[in-house]
């Protein structure tokens, strides 16, 4: 049995679908019982647990051969640093208490660094907290998701603007489809490595301008790239609806990206192949 947290989200959902497609047993972990029905219909066992509730989470992981865990962004957190570290600690405590022997953790490129990376430092914390449990830990350090455009849909579908939080929209950047991450997660759960490891994962190389061009092609109308100057990043994100505390954290992430410190430093490197156009067609369908 494989427990999948975040099963209603991108990567967890893709991992669970892939495992079920292969005939593997899945325990879909949801926090809202109403969201479990579709997974029960798909053939999964359903467990209800919140990532901030150690006891229910440990129960959801108990008896499984492996578990997929992630640290979702809590945009409503008044103190994002404290809240995400606390959730990471709760996940690790539940892993320890459940005795699940193998955990595949969704992490990020840059999670080897303890600080100076914005929200990625919480994934650094999660990785280390999980390793301290004694479980075998496979950290999947992903680069940019192709689906990150979903956060910009108001600007894209409204005024037709694609905001870029960088000095240039022409920097080649690998971007991976979350369905590809899900397939890798399924592989890693079913065939665990002999010891804990870090798997770097990225996808086809593209630029933010090419993302805007693909969006324009799918939508059949022009999309204008607007590079937001660094002093205006936080204000633009707050205008877009993000709480100021989270906007400040994302500024830290984009600055880390500009400094070039987010590098692949894992034990091995895998690359997804789904092309951006296919993902954008799905996102906009
Ligand atoms: N975006 C990127 O480019 C990027 C790059 C590298 C790594 N990452 C990592 O990927 C993560 C996001 O992964 P994703 O896109 O697959 O997630 P997602 O689609 O945003 O879904 C989040 C999932 O977590 C669940 N969840 C949230 N809070 C919960 C709680 N308190 N208890 C139980 N479940 C909870 C949600 O359930 P509900 O349906 O109940 O809300 C949902 O299933 C980021 O947080 C980051 O760590 C992202």
């Amino acid at each position: 049995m494989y427990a999948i947290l975040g099963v209603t989200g991108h990567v967890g959902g893709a991992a669970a679908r892939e495992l079920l497609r292969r005939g593997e047993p899945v325990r879909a972990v949801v926090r809202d019982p109403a969201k479990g029905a579709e997974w029960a219909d798909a053939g999964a066992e359903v467990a209800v647990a919140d990532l901030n509730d150690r006891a229910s989470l440990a129960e959801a992981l108990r008896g499984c051969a492996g578990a997929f865990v992630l640290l979702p962004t809590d945009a409503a957190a008044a103190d994002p640093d404290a809240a995400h570290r606390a959730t990471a600690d709760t996940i690790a405590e539940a892993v320890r208490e459940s005795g699940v022997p193998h955990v595949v953790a969704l992490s990020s490129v840059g999670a080897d660094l303890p600080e100076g990376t914005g929200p990625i430092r919480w994934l650094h914390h999660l990785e280390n907290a999980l390793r301290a449990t004694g479980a075998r830990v496979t950290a999947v350090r992903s680069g940019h998701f192709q689906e990150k455009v979903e956060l910009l849909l108001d600007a894209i579908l409204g005024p037709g603007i694609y905001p870029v939080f960088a000095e240039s929209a022409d920097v080649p950047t690998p971007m991976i489809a979350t369905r590809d991450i899900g397939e890798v997660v399924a592989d890693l759960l079913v065939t665990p490595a002999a010891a804990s490891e870090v798997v770097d994962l990225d996808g086809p190389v593209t630029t933010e301008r090419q993302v805007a061009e693909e969006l324009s092609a799918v939508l059949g109308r022009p999309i204008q790239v607007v590079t937001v100057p660094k002093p205006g990043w936080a204000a633009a994100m707050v205008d877009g609806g993000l709480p100021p505390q989270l906007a400040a954290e994302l500024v830290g992430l984009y600055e880390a990206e500009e400094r070039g410190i987010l590098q692949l430093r894992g034990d091995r490197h895998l690359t997804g192949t789904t092309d951006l156009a296919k993902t954008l067609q799905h996102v906009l369908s």
Side-chain angles (χ1 to χ4, degrees):
M1 181 68 73
Y2 301 104
I4 306 294
L5 309 189
V7 73
T8 55
H10 295 105
V11 176
R17 279 188 292 275
E18 179 61 17
L19 287 166
L20 290 169
R21 193 187 66 75
R22 298 182 191 186
E24 298 289 347
V26 168
R27 186 178 295 162
V29 183
V30 294
R31 59 174 163 171
D32 174 357
K35 293 188 179 179
E38 70 171 285
W39 290 101
D41 290 347
E45 188 178 303
V46 175
V48 178
D50 192 288
L51 298 179
N52 294 303
D53 176 13
R54 178 191 49 72
S56 69
L57 197 50
E59 197 52 38
L61 303 180
R62 209 180 303 282
C64 288
F68 168 73
V69 308
L70 79 172
L71 186 61
T73 303
D74 179 0
D79 180 346
D81 187 60
H84 289 89
R85 286 175 191 273
T87 304
D89 288 339
T90 302
I91 294 169
E93 285 162 15
V95 164
R96 188 196 299 273
E97 187 175 319
S98 70
V100 64
H102 178 221
V103 176
V104 176
L106 178 59
S107 185
S108 169
V109 169
D112 51 305
L113 302 172
E115 55 193 27
T117 56
I120 296 176
R121 73 190 188 285
W122 306 325
L123 296 171
H124 174 86
H125 183 82
L126 174 68
E127 285 190 13
N128 286 336
L130 289 169
R131 290 189 192 103
T133 64
R136 191 182 313 167
V137 178
T138 307
V140 175
R141 291 195 186 146
S142 171
H144 291 243
F145 292 180
Q146 292 178 353
E147 286 84 350
K148 68 181 185 167
V149 298
E150 289 172 356
L151 298 172
L152 304 171
L153 283 182
D154 284 353
I156 294 163
L157 299 176
I161 286 173
Y162 186 71
V164 174
F165 295 89
E167 281 175 15
S168 165
D170 299 301
V171 180
T173 307
M175 297 187 197
I176 184 161
T178 54
R179 59 180 286 176
D180 291 349
I181 308 176
E183 283 181 20
V184 168
V185 168
D187 284 342
L188 294 169
L189 283 170
V190 172
T191 316
S196 290
E197 65 169 351
V198 175
V199 178
D200 289 327
L201 184 55
D202 62 15
V205 174
T206 187
T207 67
E208 297 291 4
R209 191 176 309 283
Q210 287 169 329
V211 174
E213 287 167 1
E214 289 287 0
L215 286 165
S216 175
V218 175
L219 291 168
R221 66 185 178 98
I223 300 293
Q224 187 194 354
V225 172
V226 175
T227 51
V228 182
K230 193 184 293 190
W233 286 353
M237 286 188 255
V238 171
D239 281 353
L242 277 190
Q245 296 90 334
L246 189 58
E249 295 291 351
L250 290 176
V251 167
L253 168 59
Y254 298 150
E255 283 176 348
E257 186 124 48
E258 292 241 311
R259 296 207 310 279
I261 63 172
L262 307 180
Q263 296 291 329
L264 306 184
R265 299 188 186 93
D267 301 306
R268 58 192 175 109
H269 176 198
L270 300 174
T271 304
T273 56
T274 298
D275 70 30
L276 180 70
K278 188 170 175 185
T279 300
L280 296 183
Q281 277 158 12
H282 181 70
V283 166
L284 295 169
S285 65

